[in-house]
Amino acid sequence: MLDASLARQLKTLLEKVTQPIELVSTLDDRPKSAELAELLDEIAGLSDLVTHARTGDDPRRPSFVIRRAGTGIEVGFAGIPLGHEFSSLVLALLQVGGHPSKEAAELLTQVRDLEGEFHFETYFSLSCQNCPDVVQALNLMCVLNPTITHTAIDGALFPDEVDNRQVMAVPSVFLNGEPFGSGRMTLEQIVGRLDVGAAARTAAAISEKDPFEVLVVGGGPAGATAAIYAARKGIRTGVVAERFGGQVLDTVGIENFASVPYTEGPKLAAALDDHVRRYDVDIMNAQHATALTPAVGEQGLVEVELGSGARLLARSVILSTGARWRSMNVPGETEYRNKGVTYCPHCDGPLFKGKRVAVIGGGNSGVEAAIDLAGIVAHVTLVEFDAELRADEVLQRKLRSLPNIDILISAQTTEVVGDGVKVTGLTYADRTTEAWHSLAVDGVFVQIGLLPNTEWLSGTIDLTPRGEIVIDDHGRTSVPGVYAAGDCTTAPFKQIIVAAGAGATAALGAFDHLIRTSPALDTGARSLTRAD
């Protein structure tokens, strides 16, 4: 199943394995079991430390576990982890085989110290770019702590199970048989939910940090580039990020980033993370800002307050909080989020195979989503508010050529309807006739653009009516010492490469501000400027 190049790469990686691994599969007579057996046999043939035995007794078939020989350390997969999940398979092989994780030592210790029985199950789809982060985090936890187990399940191969558990978005995680979470989650976030008191300890540690000369708020392309440029100036730099990579993590194919003909969002985010960590940058993950106070104390330090209650001080701040998917703000949307209402056709589309869905939005994103879904689902209805579609003409031609797509224009979605458990339809108003209509669907894919993550800045900094941070050509905002970059600003084009360039501009602008104002900070600045 592995092509020659991939097999060579995997063989090289398996040289890092130091302890024997057993691949134990549970199979039946269906073609997918034969495919899995072939894959596991190939992997076992690449290393003398890996063996494959078809002796499992898991009720899910096909499935397998990766077990450290002679121990209880193992991770499980139900299905064939190829596609986006191939990296999860490789990491599991390495970590079960004794290769150490690159996660922070403090976080690894926190996982080892967790007490209790934690049995996780994660439903994924092979087309989901968000799923591997969750699968890999839980697999690592299994390797570190014997009281934790995890099975990653390909929902497309177990549709009855998916229906019975009402899984309508991936990744969907169950803990001890009960829903635990849905959507992208980092290792820090998962551990934080299990470790009572972890958030308070982290907040206390963050609050004790000395002031930064540049504090970047946001870890997308703009924030990462700003951090790199600031750190290269040799000044004290910190990054606060809810999730490093930002909206890029939800992007599938990227073909317009100069010098990189093709990449995928998670790969680019990982590369950004690696690049930033090559410098002396203090990265504070799983943290979000909630307030900004200008010119605190005699040195004119800006204060940023976090949702955890922690507070940070800095001589300059770069805001790169990005944007998020815009909601319809209609009844039922929030109630049925991840129960049929979704924002990622690539991730969740396979869960609606053979069903009827609606796509809300007639721009490029909406039309691309409808085209993509048409190859998976039984029928797609595209619902557009305006009197005409706004997507590129080439996309519209493709859309209209597909037989299982209906297009509604001048249609205003008014409500998402469900049975209390899942979506069953939606209602919309014809803006031409003012008539109301009902549409029976199993899923609603919302693709109506982005909103800047700037609500927390209202009243503190100049924003446009759309909530974008007003900046000049140096990235300066209306608050002295505060700069901004990326999709959260008035920059006219919301593109990855534009955001990265804006991050560099903001960092250089902040550095220019620093050298023209008060002297560099000393380590005693916090005690001199904050009344704790």
Side-chain angles (χ1 to χ4, degrees):
M1 293 186 66
L2 303 176
D3 62 41
S5 175
L6 195 58
R8 285 194 299 271
Q9 294 177 46
L10 182 55
K11 181 178 178 65
T12 299
L13 288 170
L14 289 176
E15 292 174 0
K16 299 179 181 181
V17 170
T18 59
Q19 301 188 48
I21 299 171
E22 299 169 344
L23 307 177
V24 183
S25 62
T26 303
L27 308 172
D28 54 22
D29 57 1
R30 290 181 297 177
K32 286 297 181 182
S33 285
E35 290 179 28
L36 178 58
E38 180 184 352
L39 174 63
L40 298 181
D41 284 340
E42 285 187 44
I43 294 172
L46 297 176
S47 172
D48 292 338
L49 289 176
V50 182
T51 60
H52 174 211
R54 309 183 189 195
T55 56
D57 58 357
D58 195 306
R60 296 189 182 100
R61 300 167 187 244
S63 65
F64 68 101
V65 297
I66 305 172
R67 180 180 299 145
R68 185 177 297 172
T71 74
I73 296 174
E74 65 180 39
V75 299
F77 288 92
I80 307 172
L82 296 176
H84 286 292
E85 288 302 333
F86 186 70
S87 60
S88 300
L89 170 61
V90 174
L91 269 179
L93 289 166
L94 295 179
Q95 291 168 353
V96 173
H99 188 65
S101 169
K102 294 182 179 180
E103 293 286 352
E106 297 84 358
L107 183 58
L108 299 179
T109 298
Q110 194 176 356
V111 174
R112 292 187 185 98
D113 290 344
L114 287 173
E115 296 181 355
E117 297 290 331
F118 306 103
H119 304 292
F120 286 100
E121 297 164 295
T122 301
Y123 291 88
F124 67 85
S125 70
L126 296 179
S127 60
C128 172
Q129 71 272 19
N130 291 326
C131 294
D133 280 359
V134 177
V135 171
Q136 290 165 22
L138 292 169
N139 283 347
L140 175 58
M141 292 173 67
C142 292
V143 174
L144 296 172
N145 189 322
T147 69
I148 301 172
T149 65
H150 178 229
T151 301
I153 306 161
D154 182 356
L157 293 187
F158 301 91
D160 291 343
E161 198 170 322
V162 166
D163 287 342
N164 290 338
R165 283 185 150 177
Q166 300 296 329
V167 175
M168 294 188 165
V170 290
S172 282
V173 181
F174 288 75
L175 171 59
N176 298 334
E178 299 296 327
F180 176 78
S182 184
R184 180 183 293 275
M185 290 179 281
T186 65
L187 180 61
E188 292 97 332
Q189 289 170 325
I190 295 170
V191 175
R193 290 183 58 181
L194 300 176
D195 183 2
V196 177
R201 294 196 303 272
T202 300
I206 290 175
S207 291
E208 291 301 316
K209 292 180 183 289
D210 290 325
F212 293 94
E213 292 185 288
V214 172
L215 177 65
V216 181
V217 182
T225 306
I228 291 167
Y229 268 72
R232 284 174 61 85
K233 295 296 185 182
I235 57 180
R236 179 167 162 74
T237 304
V239 176
V240 172
E242 191 162 1
R243 56 173 191 159
F244 205 95
Q247 193 74 10
V248 165
L249 291 165
D250 301 324
T251 305
V252 182
I254 299 170
E255 299 177 314
N256 56 359
F257 196 88
S259 82
V260 183
Y262 179 82
T263 188
E264 295 177 349
K267 291 181 180 179
L268 178 59
L272 290 171
D273 183 89
D274 178 69
H275 196 168
V276 172
R277 291 181 187 276
R278 291 172 183 264
Y279 298 96
D280 187 16
V281 177
D282 188 344
I283 299 176
M284 292 157 276
N285 265 323
Q287 301 290 328
H288 68 279
T290 56
L292 182 145
T293 305
V296 174
E298 295 179 0
Q299 291 190 5
L301 298 179
V302 179
E303 181 180 82
V304 174
E305 184 173 345
L306 308 182
S308 63
R311 291 180 292 166
L312 291 165
L313 297 174
R315 284 183 64 201
S316 66
V317 170
I318 298 174
L319 303 170
S320 56
T321 50
R324 65 188 183 279
W325 290 114
R326 184 188 296 271
S327 297
M328 297 183 292
N329 293 320
V330 300
E333 180 180 16
T334 300
E335 179 183 356
Y336 290 104
R337 188 174 303 228
N338 296 326
K339 297 177 182 178
V341 174
T342 177
Y343 303 83
C344 183
H346 302 289
C347 300
D348 300 331
L351 299 175
F352 294 84
K353 184 177 181 180
K355 298 181 179 181
R356 301 177 69 86
V357 303
V359 173
I360 312 300
N364 283 348
S365 295
V367 171
E368 288 172 352
I371 293 170
D372 185 21
L373 289 165
I376 302 171
V377 305
H379 188 271
V380 180
T381 301
L382 181 71
V383 183
E384 166 56 35
F385 180 86
D386 286 340
E388 60 183 20
L389 302 183
R390 293 166 285 107
D392 296 340
E393 183 58 35
V394 64
L395 293 175
Q396 292 193 42
R397 287 198 299 270
K398 175 64 175 178
L399 179 79
R400 298 180 193 281
S401 73
L402 298 173
N404 62 334
I405 294 180
D406 287 336
I407 301 170
L408 301 176
I409 57 173
S410 297
Q412 180 179 1
T413 304
T414 54
E415 183 179 4
V416 175
V417 181
D419 60 8
V421 176
K422 62 183 185 301
V423 166
T424 59
L426 60 81
T427 61
Y428 68 93
D430 186 319
R431 297 177 59 237
T432 302
T433 65
E434 298 184 354
W436 286 57
H437 301 274
S438 296
L439 182 67
V441 294
D442 300 291
V444 179
F445 291 79
V446 183
Q447 300 283 289
I448 55 175
L450 300 171
L451 278 176
N453 297 315
T454 58
E455 292 89 346
W456 62 286
L457 296 167
S458 179
T460 302
I461 206 164
D462 285 353
L463 304 175
T464 68
R466 295 186 63 247
E468 296 173 324
I469 301 171
V470 179
I471 58 172
D472 66 9
D473 57 2
H474 286 69
R476 280 186 291 250
T477 72
S478 60
V479 175
V482 178
Y483 293 72
D487 288 1
C488 64
T489 73
T490 49
F493 305 111
K494 313 305 185 187
Q495 298 288 310
I496 294 171
I497 198 164
V498 173
T505 298
L508 294 173
F511 182 69
D512 184 68
H513 166 79
L514 292 175
I515 62 178
R516 294 173 185 273
T517 55
S518 56
L521 295 166
D522 59 61
T523 57
R526 174 171 291 279
S527 61
L528 294 173
T529 57
R530 261 188 58 186
D532 291 317

